[in-house]
Amino acid sequence: IPVEPFDLVIFGGTGDLARRKILPGLFRRFLAGQMTPDSRIIGAARADLDAQGYRDMIRQGIAEFGGPESTDGDGLAQFLARLDYVSIDATGEAGWQQLSGLMRPGVIRAFYFSVAPALFGALAERLHQHGIADPDSRIVVEKPFGRDLDSARALNHTLAEHFREGQIYRIDHYLGKETVQNLMAVRFGNILFEPLWNHHYVDHIQITVAETVGVEGRGGYYDKSGAMRDMVQNHLMQLLCLIAMEPPSLFEAGAVRDEKLKVIRALKPIAAHHIVRGQYDSNGDGPSYREEADNPRSFTESFIALRAEIANWRWAGVPFYLRTGKKLRARHSEIAVVFKDLPHSIFEGDEKRHRNILSIRLQPNEGIDLQVTIKEPGPGGMRLIDRPLDMTFATALGEEAAEAPDAYERLIMDVIRGNQTLFMRGDEVEAAWAWTDPIIAGWERRNDVPKLYDPGTSGPDDSLMLLHREGRRWREIR
Ligand code: NAD
């Protein structure tokens, strides 16, 4: 279904994010017929380019990052014709008159702030000064949304001076992932799971986001941030919220975000022994974290594992184990709901522990599987084995799955539609920082040194101990 005609201005339109994600994504939505031919995209950045120069740049970006569709020559030419460019200075006066002159009346206006957060205030102010933003305009901002509670509050405050909360779209691209939304479909679209979704039946929950890449070119930025700020405070926290929240009365922005906020606020403070920080070492053939970050004394974590608890009736006593890291064994993201043991087994001689596990795989092989216990085939009597009821979306849904828009595409279309359900609200972001701030402050106070781990493993051994000492184990990263 096409969205209404829009003018989308991308501040930072020549940047890495714009070339790699935003514009290739918009191109795919254009090919899918969702972006109508009367919509326009206006790049706005410092570089001194004209519209043609910008189109050439984006043509290259799409060739490099656009996937198989990028060979559609006619489609590409039509798409590029929808592009314009303004050379602009966020903190000065250059370009603003020109941008103002380009905006059309009667179409939706959206402004993507794909620039450093330090420029948000200047952009918001100038959009107003020049009458470019109207009361229905949307602005889109990216992570990092602050680096602690104070800076996040300051950013919220800056944006709030010129925009209502209902106009601000804070992107967490994890929320745009197909499987993450499927998590909600599974939870709230089936009667099967919700009755079991509590401390009576759930033993624990695991959330793993493992990457194989290191910090590479982003070392300078990452070294000031680390896995807690870069991944846990936003992405893993969002996944945890969707798993743990109470059923909202409606799948709608206000209701969903109210429930997520309650989860974050109910998180218990974490004791230091429930957190393991790691940093990848060199295993001979690749550089260590410290080499890549160009900081020989860095204490920044490239891996973190922690045990969180939610203090409410539904989840009392249920551990939520979260882990994420770089240079791990495989690119593997999964949420696993591990159910409790049977209260009693009627099968004599079957000593093994059988457990139902619902696993939601973000990657690879996006899909959902449910581990169930069945009888081992054959004449050996009642021997039990565990097997997955496996639904890999690519096989189960075929072309439909292949054609699903990626996270960025979907989220940008939601901005145009005015649907904030999959975006973070200001109070959510602040609550998440309020939970992570004391943890990070504790490390800084103690000069906490992360444990070294070898690339290609599942992180430091201490992370295995986090579960072992409670009689549990991580699911394999593979
Ligand atoms: P980048 O450095 O590649 O691009 C920065 C852009 O901002 C350029 O287009 C530049 O011209 C423009 N710019 C800088 N100063 C300006 C000014 N004074 N006036 C007007 N334009 C100005 O950055 P990026 O990697 O594209 O990231 C953009 C934002 O998105 C950052 O806040 C970053 O943290 C965030 N982000 C990036 C990624 C990514 O994968 N690159 C992922 C998540 C979030």
Side-chain angles (χ1 to χ4, degrees), residues 127-153:
L127 282 172
H128 269 266
Q129 245 172 32
H130 294 270
I132 300 172
D134 60 35
D136 187 43
S137 296
R138 291 111 214 230
I139 60 166
V140 185
V141 298
E142 272 289 338
K143 83 172 196 183
F145 201 83
R147 54 175 283 107
D148 53 21
L149 178 56
D150 284 348
S151 53
R153 270 197 186 134

Side-chain angles (χ1 to χ4, degrees), residues 11-21 44-47 85 88-92 112-117 119-120 123 142-144 173 218 221 408:
F11 293 107
T14 60
D16 174 70
L17 184 69
R19 278 182 298 120
R20 216 159 36 84
K21 287 279 178 193
R46 266 190 315 201
Y85 182 81
I88 212 163
D89 181 3
T91 56
Y112 204 126
F113 289 9
S114 183
V115 296
L119 296 176
F120 290 1
L123 289 178
E142 272 289 338
K143 83 172 196 183
H173 69 275
R218 287 174 71 228
Y221 158 76
Y408 269 94

